[in-house]
Structure formats: structure tokens, C-alpha cells
Amino acid sequence: MKDIREDIAWAKINKDVLKSLESPRNLYWVIVIGALLVFSVGVGCEIYQYNVGMGVANLDNPHVWGLYIATFIFWIGMSHSGTLLSAILHLMHADWRKPIYRFAEAMTTFSLMTAGLFVMVHLGRLWQFYYSLPYPNDRGLWPNFQSPLLWDAMAIFTYLSSSILFLFVGMIPDLAICRDNIHSGWRKKLYTVLALGWEGTDRQWRNFRVTYLTIACFLIPLAVSVHSIVASDFAMSQQPGWHVTSFPPYFVAGALYSGCAAIITLFIILRYVFKFEEYMTLPILKKTVRLTFAIAMVWTYLNAVEFASVWYSHDIASKDVLIQKATGPYAPYWWGMIFCGSVVPLILAFKRFQTNIPVLLVTSLLLNLGMWLERWMIVAPTYSHGYYPWTWDHDQFPSWVQWGMVFGSFGWFTLLFMVFCKVFPSVSMYEVKEMVYHRSLASKKLEVSGSQESVEGAH
Amino acid sequence: MSVSNLLENWAEFRHTHPVDDVPHDPYKWAMSIDLDACSGCNACSIACYAENNIPVVGKDKFEHGQVMHWMRIERYWPEDGREFPDQGATFLPMMCQQCEAAPCETVCPVGATNHTADGLNSQIYNRCVGSRYCSANCPFKVRYFNWYDYPTTENVWPAEMTQQLNPDITLRGKGVMEKCTFCVQRIRAGERAVKNEGRILRDGEVQTACQQVCPTGAITFGNLVDPESKVHQKWKAQQVELTADEQEKDKEEGGTDLRGYRILEELRPYPSVMYMERVRESAI
């Protein structure tokens, strides 16, 4: 089966994608209203916590970090596969990414914005968050450049601004199509401004390609470094269970993993809601699923490496934390993480499930549940069984305020994402055209040479 | 906010790391706690509450682990088959160890916790944004966070008791970290007083609140670089070196009879508090 039909007319591509800006299925509005409601739960919890104090989150000494930090890592992780699809696969000339990279890149941007919120709500004095930025001030005070949290703040800010730029630059030719096809209203004005006077001249295309490639090359090391720095928050500390050298690659693998699983989920939802069946085809889904499976196995391997290195290290405190994870109060969640992260993805190895939409939807959600649990299991158990024995007899469970905000963040993300998909073309029109064109050229060549070989993955 | 300010002042904050060659001059505040003398009476803890305006959080928050005791008495029960009342607890008074290479200092994103030239681990409440990374990285878990806005919470200090709050100490609002300061307000007041006389503090002129009330005199506080001070003599007698991550006496085969040790020394925070092991029978 081919990734995409080679005889789709270019006008039809324009028409189909532009239609997604106007008339999605009714499910779209259900999702948007649902997301608003979910988001308002999170807002309510934050207002309450802001007014009363962090204590309502059921944090205490020694459990000073909780779901906020765990969910922060989760959302940072989600942002990575957008870059994987749009930048890394772009450099590798894997053209099957073309119909789906736009929404993956949007996912990157919005999940970073969600992650940023968690840094904020985690702070005891949210209103002073700017102290951690190097801004000019009368007292000549700088933030602490030794602190991994400061590196975090800078890395995330850089990654967020670069991803927005990348998303925007990649969209310019499409914005021009929107501008030329929509004749009135605020949309016309918006697209006119954002298209930056794009006319599709040779010179513009050449500059565009160079710019896009440059940002792509810039973004790849950035993506890797961002999650390595998030891993440093833990690896650079002295605590058992956190002070692990393999954390940066482990975090990056986990990030790509949860991101790919999220792409599967959103692929399935967008495909239905915006009637993109012809562009987001099952063969493309299959390739994404195989990629996810490969990354799942890398993550499983790195997990095993971490356990083994702790087990054989003779670092008694770290070993104790590991044993506590598997047998202590966190055991159900820890085993849940192992099950969802390492066992569930085995389903993806079966060919018949690689294109089975209901199975994939459930599986991808389970994978992300597993990855969320992973982050929680990195943060929390170290507090219950750290170096100091005085802390051992005290367990703590997050309050409804923490859960409410974690819940609300999904609403916020979905809201941003859905609004984006309605305002901007979530399938890249010009790149789908390129793909169709290259594919038809390739098959013509094959017909001429009389070869019967499959053309899948050509270009 | 000049770069030169960054380069020059930055190093200044951190010049008292024990492996650096800058000596403590003229003070290095340190402590010695004799666990054999400690009876677990909690007077030190109460004195600390009174001296440092520590909020009394009440039973509910205590059970939630949100208690603020800068000085806490930990109980440990030896596992020798006997049970209370035949077997008593052993006690460990625990407060900020004022580490020379404090794990909390390096991780604070805003530099709210720093090292002073006289060897204290300082906390700047106004600068703290409440990321709680310091507490996450503290091996002793002796940092306490203001989970609520205690000064405006009822019954933290009952109405008739607000008059007894210590005027030398600020009240901490919600969202900042706090911890034992070695009663820095007393140290600073003492330093100012003797400056007029053109000399430095003598041993015993500054006492911490916990030391002052300890009925058995288990707590000794003083200037470690002053050879005349009791704390210096105790550290010396126990052969505990501030700048060592493993004491010479512990390297000897068969161990030593000396009782002095520092908690979690092997993590290399270089704590400024020496404990002296309990030797008497633990039954009360």
C-alpha cells in the first residue's frame, strides 16, 4: 500500500486542507468545550493554591517536589517528537513525515508552553519567578549559574522560541495559500500579515529552504540538550535514585517515546475530526507505529541499564531506593510503569495491530500513562527513602489540588492544539504536493524501466 | 548588573569552601553535641521556636509533615529485642549542619542560600522564590518550607503571645524556605558589641538558644579557629577535622575509642556539627 495516492490533484489538496479551517466534524466542538472545562479545573486549583499556600498540595518535608515536577518532565518530553519528525526526519529525507509533521511541531510548541506552566505553579513564590532570569537590576544580582534549574529555565526558553520560529517558518508558503484563498474577515488580515509577502518566486523558495534547513540543524542539538538538562536537575543532585549518570540519554529516549505515542493519539483524532483520511494514511501511521516500537525498546533497554548499574554499584542508598520502588508504597505505580512502558508496546510489533485504529488509540494512551508514571517514579520515591533515616517512616500522597492541576494541563494543551488546528493548516499543503509529485515521478520512472519493485519509501 | 560584578562577587560568595586555601578569619562557627548527655527533653527545640519566631503549625499540619522545627529531636529505637519501657529511645538533636560545601547552595536557581565568610550557610528570605531544590538536595532534610502564610494564620502564635515574638527576627511569609541559622542574630549583635572594644568575640560570649537552655550542657557552640574555645578543644580531642571527608582516626585498623563523628560525612558536605556517640546504656 502506498503512503499517499499519487494522483491527488494539487487543487484538491488545497481544498481539503483549507476545509479543515472551516468545517470540522462536530466532535471538534465537543473536544474544545471538554478541554475548556478540564482546563478550568486546573485554573481553579491554582487560584486556590496561590491564595492559601503550597501546603494544600500536600507537599511536606521531605516530599518537597511532587506531581508538578513529574508532569513538567512529562510535558517537556512530549515536545521532543515534534522535533524528531520535523527536523531529524527532514534531514534524513524521510518524506513520509510530510503530511504529519506540522501537527507534531505544533504539539512541540504547545507541550513546552504547558511544561512552562508547571515550573510556575511549582514555585512557592510564583510572583517572583523572574528572579531566576538574568534580567538587569539595580542591585547587580545575577541568578545562580551553577543551578541546573537555571539551565532549565534558559534551555526551555530557547527551545520554545526556536520551535515557534521553526513552526512559523515552515508554515509561510501555506499561509500564503490561505491568504490567497480566503477573501474576507480577520483571517484574511492574519494570514496576510503572517505570510510575509510570500509570492513563491525562485529566490523566495531558495531562501526559504536554506532558512528552514538552518533552523532544523539548530533545533536538533537543542532538543537533545533540553531534556539532558532536565535530567541534570536530578543527575546533578546528590540524592540516591537521582544521582545516575545515564539519566540524560534515558530522559531523551523517554521523551521521544512519549512524544511518538502522543503523535499516534493525535494522528488518530485529527484524522477523524478534520477528515484527513486521504493524507494521514494508514501506511504513514504504520511507519510511526514502528518508529514508536523501536524507541520503546531503546527506552526499555536504558531502563534495564539503570537498574543494573544501581544494583551492581554497591551504592547501598541507591539500591535501597530501587528496592523500595519495587516493593514499597509506590510499588503499584512502579510496576504499572514497567507494564505500560515495556510490555504494552509489544502489541505494536504485530502487523495486524499496526494499522488497527481502536487498538492503537488505547495502546498509545497506555504508553503515555506509563511514561507519566515513569516521571513520577523518578521524582517521588527518592523522598520517601533518601539518605536520612528520619524521613523513612513518613509517606505522602498528592492532594486533589495536585491531581487537579495535572488534569487541567491536559485541557490547556488540548485547547491550544485544537485552536491551532482550526486557525492554521495542520497538514502541510506544499510539502504534501512535493511528496505526491516526487512519488509520481518515481513510479513513472519505474514504469519506464519496466521494474516491478515496490516504490515504498522512495525519494 | 555588570559582568565584572558577576565574575568578582561570584567567587566571593563561595571562597570558604574547605578545599580552597582561604582560611576562616577570624571566625568559623561550629558546634559539638554530646549524645551521651542528651536526655531528649526537647528544651532546645522549644527555645529555638521562641528565639526564631518559628510558627507552631498545629496537630493537623504536623501529621502532614509540615512542621517547622528548625531544631528537632529524632528518636531511634535500638533493635536489641527489648521493648519500651525496658528499652528507651536514643535521641539525636538535628538542625542545619551549616555544611562547608553545602549541597543546597549550588542548586538554588536564584542564589538565595550562600556561604558567609564565618562559615555559616545563610538563607536570604527576600531572594527565595520557593523552588525547594535546596531541600530536595539536602542530605539531612533540615530545611523547612513555609507551606502557608503563617504570620496571618490564626493560632500560629496565640493572641496573647504575639507580644513575645523576637523583634530581632523577621517573620517569614508563605513560599520561602527557612532553616537553622546558628542564631545568626545573636552572633551579629555580639560582633557589633565587641567591635566597639576593638576585639573579637571570646568563647562563650555568644550562645545559641538551644545551647543556652540545654539542661545537661550537651550542646557546645563556638569559634572553631579560636584555639581557646571549648568547641575547638572538643573537635581536637575527638580528632575530627573540618576539612576531611574521612577522619584519620577512622582509617586506623580496629577503629578508635574516640566518640566524635559527623553525620553523612562521606557525602562530603563537610558539616560544621560534630556529634559524640552515646556510650551509656540506652534504657531510661
Side-chain angles (χ1 to χ4, degrees), chain A residues 28-338:
Chain A
Y28 176 84
W29 298 108
V30 177
I31 293 178
V32 168
I33 291 168
L36 255 177
L37 291 177
V38 171
F39 178 47
S40 59
V41 171
V43 173
C45 290
E46 170 56 16
I47 290 174
Y48 178 56
Q49 179 183 287
Y50 186 100
N51 283 322
V52 179
M54 295 299 296
V56 295
N58 243 7
L59 294 163
D60 63 34
N61 183 21
H63 305 89
V64 287
W65 288 1
L67 296 187
Y68 299 145
I69 292 291
T71 315
F72 156 75
I73 311 170
F74 174 78
W75 283 111
I76 291 278
M78 285 275 261
S79 69
H80 277 60
S81 51
T83 311
L84 171 76
L85 272 171
S86 49
I88 300 179
L89 294 184
H90 174 66
L91 293 187
M92 292 168 73
H93 293 284
D95 72 343
W96 57 267
R97 78 184 180 100
K98 285 182 173 170
I100 59 168
Y101 90 91
R102 174 74 48 76
F103 85 78
E105 187 60 36
M107 190 180 96
T108 294
T109 306
F110 298 133
S111 50
L112 276 173
M113 289 164 79
T114 316
L117 289 187
F118 275 99
V119 182
M120 300 289 176
V121 299
H122 167 79
L123 287 185
R125 298 207 300 167
L126 161 62
W127 48 96
Q128 311 282 33
F129 78 93
Y130 58 90
Y131 281 5
S132 50
L133 302 173
Y135 69 99
N137 61 79
D138 288 348
R139 297 184 175 207
L141 284 175
W142 290 85
N144 183 359
F145 290 102
Q146 285 175 317
S147 169
L149 272 192
L150 183 82
W151 310 343
D152 247 7
M154 295 190 166
I156 293 165
F157 190 74
T158 316
Y159 191 36
L160 178 62
S161 41
S162 316
S163 331
I164 292 175
L165 198 63
F166 193 51
L167 178 64
F168 168 62
V169 168
M171 238 173 12
I172 291 175
D174 277 359
L175 289 169
I177 298 176
C178 295
R179 176 197 61 194
D180 297 340
N181 284 281
I182 289 168
H183 299 292
S184 60
W186 61 271
R187 278 174 182 261
K188 176 80 177 172
K189 281 179 201 153
L190 178 73
Y191 297 137
T192 309
V193 172
L194 290 181
L196 302 178
W198 179 267
E199 287 166 354
T201 61
D202 275 358
R203 188 166 162 271
Q204 281 181 336
W205 274 110
R206 205 164 47 240
N207 289 347
F208 169 76
R209 296 277 182 217
V210 172
T211 314
Y212 191 73
L213 189 67
T214 312
I215 306 180
C217 294
F218 178 66
L219 212 54
I220 294 166
L222 202 60
V224 175
S225 74
V226 166
H227 221 56
S228 303
I229 286 172
V230 173
S232 307
D233 285 348
F234 301 94
M236 295 264 172
S237 84
Q238 212 180 10
Q239 300 300 307
W242 287 5
H243 189 65
V244 182
T245 321
S246 67
F247 260 18
Y250 175 54
F251 270 50
V252 174
L256 293 175
Y257 184 14
S258 66
C260 280
I263 283 179
I264 297 177
T265 314
L266 292 177
F267 184 108
I268 293 169
I269 293 172
L270 282 191
R271 183 176 193 266
Y272 177 75
V273 170
F274 292 111
K275 306 169 200 165
F276 281 146
E277 285 88 349
E278 264 194 281
Y279 305 98
M280 300 188 180
T281 60
L282 292 182
I284 292 178
L285 182 61
K286 196 170 177 177
K287 289 197 169 78
T288 320
V289 167
R290 286 176 174 177
L291 184 65
T292 311
F293 176 72
I295 296 172
M297 292 302 111
V298 171
W299 178 82
T300 305
Y301 169 73
L302 285 171
N303 228 355
V305 166
E306 193 214 316
F307 298 156
S309 57
V310 168
W311 192 259
Y312 293 110
S313 68
H314 292 283
D315 179 356
I316 294 160
S318 303
K319 203 167 161 177
D320 257 16
V321 171
L322 184 61
I323 294 171
Q324 280 298 311
K325 280 179 185 174
T327 60
Y330 290 107
Y333 312 108
W334 193 79
W335 288 107
M337 158 199 123
I338 300 278

